[in-house]
C-alpha cells in the first residue's frame, strides 16, 4: 500500500459478523445502516491523517472506518479512470483502531458528522451521525428474513460468503475493476452503447458488494455519455447521485466530479432557455463550498485551489441570479440540519 503505514496488529482485525449482517440487510433491500451497539467490543480500523487525527472527507465531514485492512486498502486507492488529484484524495499516513460502540460516539464528539463503514465495501453502511437521509424505519434495524435454499440451508450472507471472506474478495474486486476497464475501453473506442451497458453492470456489481466507490465511479463515467446522447435528465441524475451521496463513498474527488457535471448541465439548460430552480443552484454552490472548506481543513487542499473552488461556486450561484452571500456554514452542522429538517435524516 503506497503511502500507508500500518500500525502493528491491525492486519489481524476482521469483523465477519458485522460485514455479513450489513450484506444481508442490503441483499434484502433494507437501508444501509448498522447499529454499533450490536457489536460491543468489536474493533474497527480508522485511517489517520498527517496530524494523527481521523481522516475527515467530503461535505458532510464523513469519517470512514473499516472492518478489516483489505476494505481499507480498497478505499485508499484513487478512483478508477479519473486523473489523480492529490489535493482531493484523503491523505492516509497510518491506521488506528477504535472499539464499538463508544468509539463511534467519540468520533462524533470529536468533529465527525457522519461515520460510515467500508465505503468501498463489503457491506457499506452508516454507523452514526447526520446521514442526510430520511428517518430509519423499524425494519431497517431488524434482522432481515433469512432466505432458505436447498434442504432449508440459509442463502443469506454468512461467514462463507465470498464478500465476507477476506481472501476471496480479491477476485470480486478484480472482476469489478475489469468491468470498469472494459466500459472505459468501449467509451474510448467510440462504442457508447457498449460502454453504457458495461458500466451499468459495474454499478450493479458494486452495489451488490456494497462497494460504493466503484458503483459511483461507474455512474459518473456513464453520466456524461448519457448527456452526450441527449438523455440529460438521467445523466445529470447520475452525477447528482455521486455528488449528494458522497457521505456513503467518502471520496472528495468523486463529489467534485458529480458537482461539476450537475453545474455544467444546469448552465446548459439556462442557455437553452429552460427553467432551473434557483434552489438547485444554491444547493450545488453550497456543496462545493463545503467540500473546499473540509479539504482545506484537512491540509490537503492549497489556499489557491480553495479560492478557485469558491470562485466557481460563486459563478454557479450568479448564473441563476442567486445572491453570492447565501452560504451559511451553520446549515451544515448537525444542529443546523436538525433545525432545518426537524430530525436526523
Amino acid at each position: 500500500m503506497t503511502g500507508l503505514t500500518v500500525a502493528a496488529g491491525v492486519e489481524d482485525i476482521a469483523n465477519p459478523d458485522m460485514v455479513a449482517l450489513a450484506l444481508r440487510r442490503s441483499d434484502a433491500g433494507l437501508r444501509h445502516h448498522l447499529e454499533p451497539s450490536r457489536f460491543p467490543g468489536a474493533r474497527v480500523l480508522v485511517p489517520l491523517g498527517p496530524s494523527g487525527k481521523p481522516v475527515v472527507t467530503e461535505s458532510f465531514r464523513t469519517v470512514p472506518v473499516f472492518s478489516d485492512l483489505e476494505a481499507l486498502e480498497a478505499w485508499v486507492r484513487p478512483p478508477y479512470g479519473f486523473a489523480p488529484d492529490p489535493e482531493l484524495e484523503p491523505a492516509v499516513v497510518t491506521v488506528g483502531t477504535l472499539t464499538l460502540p463508544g468509539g463511534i460516539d467519540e468520533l462524533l464528539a470529536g468533529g465527525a458528522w457522519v461515520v460510515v463503514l467500508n465505503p468501498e465495501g463489503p457491506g457499506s453502511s452508516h454507523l452514526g451521525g447526520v446521514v442526510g437521509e430520511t428517518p430509519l424505519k423499524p425494519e431497517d434495524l431488524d434482522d432481515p428474513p433469512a432466505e432458505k435454499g436447498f434442504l432449508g440451508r440459509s442463502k443469506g450472507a454468512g461467514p462463507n460468503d465470498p464478500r465476507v471472506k477476506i481472501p476471496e474478495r480479491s477476485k470480486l474486486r478484480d472482476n469489478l475493476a475489469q468491468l470498469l476497464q472494459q466500459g472505459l475501453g468501449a467509451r474510448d473506442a467510440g462504442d457508447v452503447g457498449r460502454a453504457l451497458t458495461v458500466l451499468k453492470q459495474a454499478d450493479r456489481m458494486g452495489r451488490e458488494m456494497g462497494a460504493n466507490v466503484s458503483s459511483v465511479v461507474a455512474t459518473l463515467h456513464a453520466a456524461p455519455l448519457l448527456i452526450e446522447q441527449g438523455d440529460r435528465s438521467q445523466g445529470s441524475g447520475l452525477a447528482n447521485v455521486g455528488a449528494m451521496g458522497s457521505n456513503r463513498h467518502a471520496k472528495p474527488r468523486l463529489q467534485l466530479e458529480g458537482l461539476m457535471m450537475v453545474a455544467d448541465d444546469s448552465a446548459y439548460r439556462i442557455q437553452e432557455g429552460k427553467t432551473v430552480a434557483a434552489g438547485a443552484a444554491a444547493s450545488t454552490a453550497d456543496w462545493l463550498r463545503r467540500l473546499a472548506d473540509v479539504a482545506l481543513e484537512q491540509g490537503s487542499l492549497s489556499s489557491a485551489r480553495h479560492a478557485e473552488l469558491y470562485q466557481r461556486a460563486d459563478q454557479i450561484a450568479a448564473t441563476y441570479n442567486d445572491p453570492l452571500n447565501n452560504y451559511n456554514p451553520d446549515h451544515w452542522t448537525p444542529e443546523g440540519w436538525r433545525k432545518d429538517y426537524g430530525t436526523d435524516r
Side-chain angles (χ1 to χ4, degrees), residues 169-179:
R169 281 189 214 148
S170 59
K171 183 176 181 180
L172 296 176
R173 295 202 191 275
D174 287 345
N175 292 341
L176 186 48
Q178 288 173 9
L179 285 175

Side-chain angles (χ1 to χ4, degrees), residues 109-251:
W113 296 352
V114 178
V115 182
V116 64
L117 175 74
N118 292 356
E120 178 59 336
S124 175
S125 300
H126 279 117
L127 293 177
V130 179
V131 300
E133 297 179 344
T134 53
L136 293 166
K137 300 177 181 179
E139 57 265 32
D140 295 315
L141 306 179
D142 292 337
D143 286 328
E147 295 185 41
K148 298 299 181 180
F150 184 65
L151 296 179
R153 295 172 183 165
S154 176
K155 292 173 58 179
N160 293 320
D161 190 301
R163 297 170 295 178
V164 176
K165 297 181 71 173
I166 295 174
E168 296 186 15
R169 281 189 214 148
S170 59
K171 183 176 181 180
L172 296 176
R173 295 202 191 275
D174 287 345
N175 292 341
L176 186 48
Q178 288 173 9
L179 285 175
L180 291 172
Q181 184 179 25
Q182 292 169 11
L184 296 191
R187 176 201 67 185
D188 295 342
D191 190 347
V192 174
R194 170 67 176 164
L196 288 171
T197 297
V198 177
L199 289 172
K200 185 175 182 179
Q201 292 172 349
D203 172 40
R204 184 184 305 113
M205 183 177 180
R207 285 186 282 111
E208 288 173 353
M209 190 174 175
N212 287 337
V213 175
S214 292
S215 177
V216 170
V217 164
T219 64
L220 290 180
H221 284 310
L225 299 179
L226 288 164
I227 291 173
E228 289 172 11
Q229 284 193 325
D231 193 348
R232 307 195 70 88
S233 178
Q234 186 176 1
S236 61
L238 290 181
N240 193 66
V241 166
M244 308 310 178
S246 54
N247 63 341
R248 286 282 312 284
H249 59 70
K251 280 284 189 177

Side-chain angles (χ1 to χ4, degrees), residues 31-311:
R31 287 277 294 282
H32 303 273
H33 180 86
L34 284 182
E35 314 87 88
S37 60
R38 293 192 61 143
F39 303 96
R43 289 198 303 158
V44 294
L45 304 182
V46 186
L48 306 176
S51 67
K53 297 180 180 179
V55 168
V56 176
T57 77
E58 65 85 45
S59 293
F60 264 111
R61 293 186 56 86
T62 298
V63 172
V65 301
F66 299 87
S67 60
D68 50 72
L69 190 57
E70 190 279 338
L72 191 156
E73 289 177 324
W75 177 76
V76 166
R77 300 184 189 106
Y80 186 86
F82 290 107
D85 191 344
E87 290 192 64
L88 285 171
E89 292 295 337
V92 179
V93 299
T94 189
V95 179
T97 65
L98 61 80
T99 303
L100 303 183
I104 303 301
D105 294 333
E106 292 174 8
L107 288 177
L108 296 173
W113 296 352
V114 178
V115 182
V116 64
L117 175 74
N118 292 356
E120 178 59 336
S124 175
S125 300
H126 279 117
L127 293 177
V130 179
V131 300
E133 297 179 344
T134 53
L136 293 166
K137 300 177 181 179
E139 57 265 32
D140 295 315
L141 306 179
D142 292 337
D143 286 328
E147 295 185 41
K148 298 299 181 180
F150 184 65
L151 296 179
R153 295 172 183 165
S154 176
K155 292 173 58 179
N160 293 320
D161 190 301
R163 297 170 295 178
V164 176
K165 297 181 71 173
I166 295 174
E168 296 186 15
R169 281 189 214 148
S170 59
K171 183 176 181 180
L172 296 176
R173 295 202 191 275
D174 287 345
N175 292 341
L176 186 48
Q178 288 173 9
L179 285 175
L180 291 172
Q181 184 179 25
Q182 292 169 11
L184 296 191
R187 176 201 67 185
D188 295 342
D191 190 347
V192 174
R194 170 67 176 164
L196 288 171
T197 297
V198 177
L199 289 172
K200 185 175 182 179
Q201 292 172 349
D203 172 40
R204 184 184 305 113
M205 183 177 180
R207 285 186 282 111
E208 288 173 353
M209 190 174 175
N212 287 337
V213 175
S214 292
S215 177
V216 170
V217 164
T219 64
L220 290 180
H221 284 310
L225 299 179
L226 288 164
I227 291 173
E228 289 172 11
Q229 284 193 325
D231 193 348
R232 307 195 70 88
S233 178
Q234 186 176 1
S236 61
L238 290 181
N240 193 66
V241 166
M244 308 310 178
S246 54
N247 63 341
R248 286 282 312 284
H249 59 70
K251 280 284 189 177
R253 179 74 173 85
L254 297 181
Q255 186 180 34
L256 179 64
E257 288 290 334
L259 286 171
M260 292 299 94
M261 288 186 211
V262 170
D264 290 344
D265 184 60
S266 295
Y268 173 87
R269 291 176 184 274
I270 291 291
Q271 293 170 2
E272 293 294 304
K274 298 179 181 179
T275 300
V276 173
S283 175
T284 302
D286 283 359
W287 279 90
L288 183 54
R289 295 182 182 110
R290 278 298 308 158
L291 172 64
D293 286 350
V294 175
L296 182 69
E297 173 193 318
Q298 288 293 290
S300 61
L301 193 72
S302 67
S303 297
R305 184 76 181 281
H306 181 269
E308 175 189 322
L309 294 177
Y310 254 66
Q311 183 180 19

